[in-house]
Amino acid sequence: MDTASILQFVDEVLSANTGKHLNDLQRKIIEGILKRQKYSNIADTYGCTAGHAKDVGYELLQMLSDVFGEPVDKRNLKSVLQRQSTIKITLNNSNNIDGNSNTINYIKACSEQPTPTPDKSQPPTPDYQDGTNQVTIEMVDKLRQLGLKDEQIAEVLGLGLEVVKQMD
């Protein structure tokens, strides 16, 4: 993914989970970390002290750790973002994983998502309560943690809304 796509992805995920968008310094910190810059270099570029950049960077990495459900630090930020964005693209059933697509926008958590229309040609959705499809249950849980509503999860995963609601 290019830097603009990464920043858009992080901003959308943070916004969906915290209601806050990335500020200019946070954007510079992400860019700097991905370029393996030190906080002092990032601070010089932004025009603040190294201590302030380091404090904001620490808070940002903690927020990302909470949102993604895994530890995020300067050393693993790139791999975490690649892994997390791949999950989004995979859930969207996209074959375009070169990072130049707008597939992330499809999964953005907002109330304007279209209401899914049941497909009568598909077989009935199996009951997932018996634990045989743990992966689907875990995906539903993860999408809820990312701030998606049950209707959006049902649309993304191609499940019935009632099935998603049963997975608590």
Side-chain angles (χ1 to χ4, degrees), residues 86-165:
T86 300
I87 290 170
K88 303 294 177 247
I89 293 168
T90 302
L91 290 176
N92 194 26
N93 296 324
S94 171
N95 293 325
N96 184 2
I97 57 173
D98 64 358
N100 293 324
S101 66
N102 292 324
T103 56
I104 294 168
N105 290 330
Y106 180 79
I107 301 177
K108 188 166 69 173
C110 63
S111 60
E112 289 92 36
Q113 289 290 337
T115 305
T117 305
D119 186 356
K120 304 281 190 232
S121 68
Q122 296 295 321
T125 307
D127 182 12
Y128 290 98
Q129 291 298 327
D130 62 3
T132 58
N133 200 328
Q134 189 64 30
V135 172
T136 302
I137 294 170
E138 289 173 5
M139 287 172 52
V140 168
D141 289 341
K142 182 70 172 178
L143 291 170
R144 283 182 177 144
Q145 290 172 2
L146 292 173
L148 280 105
K149 297 178 183 169
D150 286 348
E151 293 82 5
Q152 295 166 320
I153 296 170
E155 176 72 18
V156 169
L157 297 178
L159 298 173
L161 179 57
E162 287 71 33
V163 172
V164 172
K165 287 183 177 183

Side-chain angles (χ1 to χ4, degrees), residues 10-33:
V10 172
D11 188 63
E12 288 178 1
V13 170
L14 283 179
S15 175
N17 285 278
T18 67
K20 298 177 184 178
H21 290 278
L22 289 173
N23 63 36
D24 291 342
L25 178 55
Q26 290 169 325
R27 289 175 175 276
K28 291 288 184 192
I29 289 169
I30 291 171
E31 288 179 52
I33 289 173

